[in-house]
Amino acid sequence: MNSSFKENVKDELQFQGLSVKELSAKTNIPYQTLENYLNSRASMPPADYACRIAKVLNTDVESLLGEKDIQNSVPEEKKQDRHILTLISRLNPENKKAVLQILTTMVRGQENT
C-alpha cells in the first residue's frame, strides 16, 4: 500500500478543491465523523461510508485505501482531463451549458484547421 485512507482522501479533497464540510454534505456523513477519520481520532470508516466518500470523489475505495496508485499510473494529460471534468461537474447547469457551447466551438474550429 502506498498511502493511508486519510491521506488519500485529504489529497483528493485538495485536488478537487472540496472542503470536509462539502464532503459531509454530499455524502450525508456527519462533519465531525469525517474529521475524526481524517485526523486519526477514529479507525477506518465502515464500508458504506468509504463507498459514499469514493463515489462523491469520483474514485473507488481501492484507490482511497492506497491499494491502487492512481496518481502515479495516470499520465499527466489524463490528470489534467480529470481535473477539468471535476471542475465542470461543480458548475451550475447554466454554466455547464455555456462551457459545453464553448468547448463545442473550440473543437469544431480545431477540426477545421
Side-chain angles (χ1 to χ4, degrees), residues 6-84:
K6 72 174 187 169
E7 291 169 340
N8 290 328
V9 172
K10 286 180 180 180
D11 287 348
E12 203 55 41
L13 287 171
Q14 182 179 13
F15 177 75
Q16 295 188 28
L18 291 172
S19 68
V20 176
K21 193 173 192 173
E22 290 170 311
L23 181 63
S24 172
K26 291 180 178 196
T27 59
N28 204 23
I29 299 171
Y31 172 80
Q32 193 57 52
T33 301
L34 286 173
E35 277 289 311
N36 288 340
Y37 293 131
L38 297 177
N39 292 310
S40 296
R41 290 191 292 260
S43 60
M44 272 291 300
D48 63 324
Y49 279 16
C51 289
R52 285 193 236 168
I53 292 167
K55 184 176 181 179
V56 167
L57 296 177
N58 198 27
T59 188
D60 53 47
V61 175
E62 292 85 1
S63 297
L64 294 179
L65 291 172
E67 294 175 5
K68 275 170 116 179
D69 191 2
I70 57 169
Q71 290 300 322
N72 292 329
S73 65
V74 177
E76 194 59 41
E77 184 178 328
K78 292 294 181 187
K79 289 180 188 177
Q80 189 177 35
D81 291 351
R82 182 170 169 236
H83 185 64
I84 290 166

Side-chain angles (χ1 to χ4, degrees), residues 83-92 95-96 99 103:
H83 185 64
I84 290 166
L85 291 173
T86 299
L87 292 173
I88 290 170
S89 73
R90 295 176 62 200
L91 294 173
N92 65 40
N95 286 335
K96 283 181 183 178
V99 168
L103 291 174

Side-chain angles (χ1 to χ4, degrees), residues 90-109:
R90 295 176 62 200
L91 294 173
N92 65 40
E94 184 178 312
N95 286 335
K96 283 181 183 178
K97 186 176 179 180
V99 168
L100 178 61
Q101 290 173 339
I102 291 167
L103 291 174
T104 301
T105 301
M106 291 174 74
V107 168
R108 285 183 183 151

